[in-house]
Amino acid sequence: MTSTTKTSKTDPTEILGAIRTFLSGTALPSVSQVALRSPDPFRILISTMISLRTRDEVTLAATDRLFALAQTPHTMAGLTQQQVAAAIYPAGFYRTKAHSILAVSQILQQQYDGSVPDTLEQLTALPGVGRKTANLVLGLGFAIPSICVDTHVHRITNRLGWITTRTPDQSEIELQHVLPTQWWIAVNELLVRFGQQICTPQSPWCSRCPVAQKCPRAGVTRER
Ligand code: SF4
C-alpha cells in the first residue's frame, strides 16, 4: 500500500504518551536496562560503547562480563586489550571497542580523576564517543536533558512530521525546538523499541500502529 506524504504536525506529548502505553511491558533497550540496574555514568558510557552495532542481549552480557573484571576507570585501565576484547566478544567490532574502552579509561583516570565528565564537549572528545553516546550518558548517567538521536529517532520523528532533516545531527538540533524537555531523555528508549517493532525502516507496520490516525507518514512510500 502506498501513502501520501503530508506535512501536518502531530503533538509530541500526545504521540509519545500513546507509544509509551503501547510499549508498556516490553523490554527496555540494553543501555536503559544497565542504567536501571546501576546509574553509574562509567558503566553507562562503556555499555553504550559496547552497544553500537550490537544486539541488546549481547550488550548486556558483555557489559556484565567486563564489569566483573573491573568497575572503575582505574581498574579498567589496568586490563589488557586482549582481556577487554575477550570479555565483550561477540559485540560488533569488539577489538576496536576494546582499544577505545582502554583509551577512554586511561583518559578518565588521568584527566578527570577517575570520573566521567558531564558535558557534551568533554564526552565527544573521548575516543570512540560520538554525540549519540554522549547524549545517552548525559541523560541516563547524569539526568541532564539530552536527546540521543539514533537511526530510529531520526527516521520516526521525520515520518511523524515533527522535523524535516537529512541527518541525525540535524535532527538533534531541530528536535530541541519541537520536543518538550520532559521527553528529551525518554524519546530514545521509546522510539528505539517502536522502530524495532512497528515503525520499521522498510515498510512500517502502519496497520498495527497506535498513532496511525495522527501520523502524516512523511516520506513513507510502502507500508504494511
Ligand atoms: S508505523 Fe506508520 S503510522 Fe506509525 S509512526 Fe510509523 S509511519 Fe507513522
Side-chain angles (χ1 to χ4, degrees), residues 156 159-160 194 198-199 204-206 209 211-212 215 217 220:
I156 298 169
R159 284 177 175 172
L160 284 164
F194 192 61
I198 300 294
C199 196
W205 287 98
C206 301
C209 177
V211 298
C215 178
R217 304 177 201 188
V220 174

Side-chain angles (χ1 to χ4, degrees), residues 24-144:
S24 61
T26 63
L28 291 169
S30 56
V31 178
S32 298
Q33 290 189 47
V34 168
L36 209 59
R37 283 170 10 194
S38 169
D40 165 22
F42 181 59
R43 192 177 290 246
I44 292 168
L45 170 61
I46 299 300
S47 69
T48 306
M49 293 171 71
I50 295 171
S51 75
L52 303 175
R53 296 179 183 272
T54 300
R55 285 182 290 116
D56 279 347
E57 57 272 28
V58 172
T59 297
L60 280 173
T63 301
D64 285 346
R65 282 194 299 273
L66 183 59
F67 277 83
L69 299 177
Q71 291 84 45
T72 65
H74 176 69
T75 52
M76 191 73 74
L79 299 178
T80 66
Q81 193 167 324
Q82 272 184 331
Q83 282 178 300
V84 176
I88 67 173
Y89 177 86
F93 305 102
Y94 62 96
R95 288 195 184 91
T96 306
K97 288 176 182 174
H99 178 79
S100 296
I101 288 168
L102 285 176
V104 164
S105 299
Q106 285 162 4
I107 291 170
L108 296 183
Q109 177 65 16
Q110 291 165 3
Q111 297 183 17
Y112 296 101
D113 200 22
S115 297
V116 175
D118 62 358
T119 71
L120 190 67
E121 293 70 25
Q122 289 170 314
L123 284 165
T124 52
L126 297 170
V129 177
R131 294 184 73 89
K132 195 171 71 169
T133 297
N135 278 313
L136 210 53
V137 171
L138 290 174
L140 297 179
F142 294 101
I144 296 172

Side-chain angles (χ1 to χ4, degrees), residues 138-208:
L138 290 174
L140 297 179
F142 294 101
I144 296 172
S146 313
I147 306 175
C148 172
V149 179
D150 72 342
T151 176
H152 295 293
V153 174
H154 172 64
R155 178 182 71 254
I156 298 169
T157 53
N158 271 277
R159 284 177 175 172
L160 284 164
W162 296 349
I163 55 176
T164 305
T165 57
R166 299 179 71 86
T167 68
D169 283 358
Q170 287 175 357
S171 297
E172 182 192 327
I173 303 300
E174 293 303 315
L175 283 170
Q176 290 173 4
H177 300 300
V178 300
L179 203 57
T181 316
Q182 72 192 80
W183 292 104
W184 284 21
I185 297 174
V187 69
N188 180 271
E189 71 179 31
L190 289 172
L191 295 191
V192 166
R193 283 182 288 166
F194 192 61
Q196 290 167 342
Q197 298 173 27
I198 300 294
C199 196
T200 47
Q202 309 295 331
S203 292
W205 287 98
C206 301
S207 61
R208 301 177 183 175

